[in-house]
Amino acid sequence: MTIGQLLQILKARKRLVFLVLFVMVALMVAIVMFFPPRYAAEAILTIDVGSVDPVSGQTDAETSAPGYLATQARIIESHNTAIKVVHALKLGDDKSVQQSYMDATQGKGTMDDWLADQLLQHVKATVARDGNIITIKYTSPDPRFSSLMANGFATAYVQMVTDLHSGTEQQNNAFFQSQLKTLQANLATAQQKLADFQQKNGIIATDEKLDVESQRLTELSAQMVAAQAQALEAQSRARGRTNQPDVINNPLVQNLRGQVAQLEAKFNALAAKEGSNNPAYQQSLAELNEAKAQLAQAMATYSQGLSNSASNASSRFAGQQKEMEMQREKLLQMKTQRAQSQILEREVESAQNAFDTALRRQTETSLQARVTRGDTGMLKSAPEPLGPSFPRAEIMIPLGIILGLLFGGALAVIVELSNRRLRSVVDVELLLNLPVLATISPKHGKVALLPQRSAAKLTLNHGAGS
């Protein structure tokens, strides 16, 4: 269907179009005149997303979470917020409201819940697309009541957020206060155990004392090695007894050995000349035996001295070894005590850290419970509406005209299609599939050749004359 055909149809069925237009405009006028006006008041809140906690100085993870604004809008439309509005404005004190509650519920349930449900049917919280803004809209037949309710919901929401935050922090504060007593008792127990252990074992400065004892063990080990070498050397020197080089090379022994050699030479010379009964022989023999006895006595004395030295060296080595073993046992015991002391110290440190952390969090939660949240503010309070939001004549009447023309035109086309008429040359050509050469005016009976078809007609006439 072309534009021309559509205009022909609308022209032919203009009465139907005007009738639909009249009905639609009349309907809009009736709505404007007879429908009770409703007034919408809007309060605008600004939400600080990603605000900084004034106590901890860190970004609030809750306000930075995705969907935070949508959650706040649902809080505004929640039953608890409506209950706060009812209590704040004392709506239940009105006698007419009480009578309406009795008529509607027959006394079932509570008036606060019934009023809250009634209010929630007319409030809407909308999140702005391009900012951290929530618009609270309340609609009612009374402009003053709409303004009062919109502002009431905004105030109740701010109080609700503050109460939720304070309630959570107060619960956390109570939890940490109860835990502090237990943690403090654990810290005192751990400190007492450490003190008792240190007092029992005489531990004052564990690390310094351990270092001194380790140094003492090193010194004793070196002394034991030296004593062992001395004992081995003394035993080696005492092992040959009188044939030991130390005995043989002794100056006194060497002197006595020289005297014995001289007396032997003298005795041998006398023995070769004199008999055994000669007084000189007897005297020389006595002198030789006495010199040999002195030599043997000296060698035995020196040999015994070496044996005694070896025995003394062995005793010193044994004493050094025993002292070193005792020092080693003492050091091992001190290391064991040190390990146990470190375990107790770590327990004290752990208990101290737990207590300090709980004390710090208790202080933070105590402060946060008293801090007023500053991430929500009233950007615009809801003024009393100057005009109704519905119905509005300046919108309804033009809307009725537009809808009347659209529906009238659509209805005219539908009626035309159900009972098709030939209203133009194009309709005839489409129906007969033949070109139209001329039209006859219904008023004057004149034949009018169509301009686009004249050439064709002349062609046909010229062909017939021929």
Side-chain angles (χ1 to χ4, degrees):
M1 182 179 294
T2 64
I3 302 277
Q5 290 177 303
L6 179 60
L7 293 176
Q8 288 290 336
I9 293 172
L10 295 178
K11 181 179 180 182
R13 298 189 181 273
K14 58 185 176 181
R15 293 181 180 179
L16 178 61
V17 174
F18 284 125
L19 178 61
V20 174
L21 175 62
F22 175 77
V23 171
M24 187 61 67
V25 173
L27 178 62
M28 293 299 176
V29 171
I31 292 176
V32 171
M33 293 181 63
F34 298 106
F35 267 67
R38 300 185 65 81
Y39 298 86
E42 293 183 349
I44 301 177
L45 296 176
T46 176
I47 310 297
D48 186 10
V49 177
S51 58
V52 177
D53 192 310
V55 177
S56 63
Q58 298 178 352
T59 302
D60 193 343
E62 179 183 358
T63 60
S64 302
Y68 175 74
L69 292 178
T71 302
Q72 302 313 299
R74 300 290 79 78
I75 292 176
I76 294 173
E77 298 175 355
S78 67
H79 188 79
N80 287 342
T81 304
I83 290 289
K84 282 187 173 294
V85 175
V86 172
H87 291 167
L89 301 180
K90 300 180 179 179
L91 299 180
D93 296 343
D94 193 336
K95 299 295 183 180
S96 61
V97 172
Q98 296 175 3
Q99 185 60 43
S100 298
Y101 160 70
M102 294 300 298
D103 295 340
T105 64
Q106 303 301 320
K108 297 179 181 178
T110 63
M111 183 183 299
D112 290 344
D113 291 334
W114 179 78
L115 283 172
D117 293 336
Q118 296 300 314
L119 295 180
L120 290 177
Q121 295 177 8
H122 306 287
V123 68
K124 180 65 177 178
T126 306
V127 179
R129 295 182 178 179
D130 55 351
N132 303 327
I133 293 175
I134 297 179
T135 301
I136 303 175
K137 182 178 181 181
Y138 192 91
T139 306
S140 75
D142 185 358
R144 182 174 177 277
F145 186 75
S146 296
S147 173
L148 186 65
M149 288 299 102
N151 291 326
F153 269 92
T155 304
Y157 162 72
V158 175
Q159 186 63 39
M160 172 72 75
V161 172
T162 302
D163 291 345
L164 289 175
H165 174 75
S166 299
T168 302
E169 296 303 333
Q170 286 175 358
Q171 291 178 358
N172 294 337
N173 187 32
F175 168 76
F176 284 113
Q177 283 182 345
S178 64
Q179 292 299 311
L180 278 176
K181 297 179 180 178
T182 303
L183 294 175
Q184 189 173 14
N186 294 340
L187 176 60
T189 302
Q191 290 175 338
Q192 187 62 42
K193 288 173 62 177
L194 177 61
D196 292 342
F197 180 81
Q198 290 178 342
Q199 184 177 5
K200 178 181 178 181
N201 295 278
I203 299 175
I204 300 176
T206 307
D207 293 337
E208 292 80 355
K209 188 174 181 181
L210 186 62
D211 293 339
V212 171
E213 296 298 335
S214 298
Q215 184 178 1
R216 174 62 178 165
L217 178 63
T218 303
E219 294 175 354
L220 290 176
S221 178
Q223 293 175 6
M224 188 198 70
V225 171
Q228 183 180 20
Q230 293 175 0
L232 291 176
E233 181 181 0
Q235 290 174 2
S236 176
R237 293 173 61 186
R239 192 172 295 115
R241 294 187 178 275
T242 56
N243 296 324
Q244 178 68 19
D246 290 342
V247 177
I248 296 174
N249 296 327
N250 187 272
L252 179 59
V253 173
Q254 290 289 338
N255 188 20
L256 291 175
R257 288 173 66 89
Q259 292 179 5
V260 169
Q262 292 177 1
L263 291 174
E264 283 184 345
K266 182 179 178 182
F267 173 73
N268 290 332
L270 289 174
K273 295 179 180 181
E274 305 291 341
S276 58
N277 294 323
N278 188 292
Y281 177 86
Q282 292 292 332
Q283 183 180 0
S284 178
L285 179 60
E287 291 176 355
L288 178 60
N289 290 333
E290 183 180 358
K292 287 182 177 181
Q294 290 178 357
L295 177 60
Q297 181 64 34
M299 292 181 68
T301 300
Y302 280 106
S303 177
Q304 185 63 38
L306 292 176
S307 298
N308 292 337
S309 297
S311 177
N312 292 335
S314 297
S315 298
R316 285 196 303 272
F317 170 68
Q320 291 286 346
Q321 188 175 19
K322 183 177 181 180
E323 187 176 359
M324 192 190 73
E325 291 296 332
M326 292 175 61
Q327 183 66 20
R328 182 180 297 170
E329 291 293 332
K330 182 179 180 181
L331 188 60
L332 290 176
Q333 185 179 4
M334 288 187 63
K335 287 185 176 181
T336 303
Q337 293 175 355
R338 180 187 183 187
Q340 294 177 356
S341 178
Q342 288 177 343
I343 292 174
L344 295 176
E345 288 174 358
R346 283 194 294 268
E347 290 180 357
V348 172
E349 182 179 359
S350 177
Q352 184 69 54
N353 291 336
F355 176 77
D356 292 341
T357 302
L359 182 61
R360 183 173 62 254
R361 288 293 296 132
Q362 189 270 336
T363 303
E364 290 180 359
T365 54
S366 178
L367 292 175
Q368 288 172 344
R370 295 193 294 267
V371 169
T372 301
R373 294 294 294 267
D375 54 359
T376 302
M378 181 80 76
L379 188 62
K380 174 191 173 184
S381 61
E384 186 174 333
L386 300 178
S389 61
F390 179 87
R392 298 177 62 181
E394 67 274 15
I395 296 178
M396 301 295 290
I397 301 302
L399 180 63
I401 294 174
I402 295 173
L403 293 178
L405 292 175
L406 290 176
F407 289 155
L411 185 59
V413 172
I414 293 173
V415 172
E416 181 68 22
L417 292 178
S418 63
N419 186 15
R420 194 73 172 92
R421 303 286 183 88
L422 297 177
R423 301 187 183 280
S424 65
V425 173
V426 176
D427 293 340
V428 175
E429 289 180 344
L430 291 175
L431 178 63
L432 301 177
N433 198 20
L434 293 173
V436 176
L437 302 180
T439 61
I440 300 175
S441 174
K443 293 183 179 180
H444 306 287
K446 295 181 180 181
V447 177
L449 294 177
L450 297 178
Q452 64 273 25
R453 274 81 176 180
S454 298
K457 183 177 180 182
L458 290 175
T459 303
L460 290 175
N461 291 336
H462 179 73
S466 300

